[in-house]
Amino acid sequence: DAGVIQSPRHEVTEMGQEVTLRCKPISGHDYLFWYRQTMMRGLELLIYFNNNVPIDDSGMPEDRFSAKMPNASFSTLKIQPSEPRDSAVYFCASSLGGKNTEAFFGQGTRLTVV
Amino acid sequence: GESVGLHLPTLSVQEGDNSIINCAYSNSASDYFIWYKQESGKGPQFIIDIRSNMDKRQGQRVTVLLNKTVKHLSLQIAATQPGDSAVYFCAENTGSGDKLTFGTGTRLAVRP
């Protein structure tokens, strides 16, 4: 397996534009996590899914952020409209089971909003 | 005002020496812990995990120690190599749900 695949690797966009980040989890993994990493706040969990269903979105910063998982092999994180403070590295991770199992991370998407 | 970022503690070790990276956790209900390694420009990579019913677990060149009494976790790396240079994170599952909560990280710098 190629691991968790994220696209794009880098995204530069203007403030106010819509941004969509994409993730393909490892095949067979039932859990998918979206994290955000910044110098200010470190690595924060935004939302996670189990069997394509959102379980906990308490980490989503505000209504401008939304995430979907239409099937077991694809998830998106959308920011609309984007703001400069959204600039960060966004990671997707997946795991075989949820509790007490390791999560495998993708390479991340570095988002810069100017 | 000027923004202040997280201050990552840095551990500098000589190549070949042993490294010990420490982590304090806050939730006594946490029952599963993982150490991740993150190299520049990459995602966190799993190193080793430990469940709360254990106090020690060994892998290849790495050992994790768990002290539940003082809520402390440590990662020991034997014979540290230049390739070990990275930021190391401890993560805990607090027992509620399936999510991992990450610490702020420690930067390991290996001197040749």
Side-chain angles (χ1 to χ4, degrees), chain B residues 81-111:
Chain B
Q81 302 170 0
D84 296 326
S85 294
V87 177
Y88 290 80
F89 293 94
C90 64
E92 62 184 298
N93 183 306
T94 59
S96 171
D98 306 300
K99 57 187 181 183
L100 291 172
T101 301
F102 282 77
T104 55
T106 296
R107 185 178 305 280
L108 176 64
V110 182
R111 303 189 304 273

Side-chain angles (χ1 to χ4, degrees), chain B residues 41-59:
Chain B
K42 297 184 178 180
Q45 180 184 11
F46 172 87
I47 302 174
I48 192 168
D49 60 0
I50 188 167
R51 303 186 192 284
S52 59
N53 61 352
M54 304 171 68
D55 52 23
K56 180 179 179 179
R57 189 158 190 234
Q58 288 185 292

Side-chain angles (χ1 to χ4, degrees), chain B residues 70-86:
Chain B
V70 295
K71 291 186 283 190
H72 183 268
L73 194 68
S74 69
L75 176 70
Q76 300 178 0
I77 304 173
T80 312
Q81 302 170 0
D84 296 326
S85 294

Side-chain angles (χ1 to χ4, degrees), chain A residues 9 31 33 35 37-45 48 50 55-56 58 91 97-108 110, chain B residues 3-8 31-32 34 36 38 41-46 49 51 89 93-104:
Chain A
R9 289 295 310 276
Y31 286 80
F33 306 84
Y35 284 87
Q37 188 174 39
T38 62
M39 286 299 296
M40 288 287 291
R41 302 172 69 91
L43 202 58
E44 305 172 276
L45 178 67
Y48 78 93
N50 177 23
I55 302 300
D56 185 345
S58 59
F91 288 103
K99 188 172 173 59
N100 296 355
T101 57
E102 67 194 84
F104 294 83
F105 283 75
Q107 296 278 55
R110 179 174 294 279
Chain B
S3 63
V4 178
L6 286 173
H7 171 66
L8 278 186
D31 55 5
Y32 178 65
I34 302 180
Y36 280 91
Q38 186 176 24
K42 297 184 178 180
Q45 180 184 11
F46 172 87
D49 60 0
R51 303 186 192 284
F89 293 94
N93 183 306
T94 59
S96 171
D98 306 300
K99 57 187 181 183
L100 291 172
T101 301
F102 282 77
T104 55

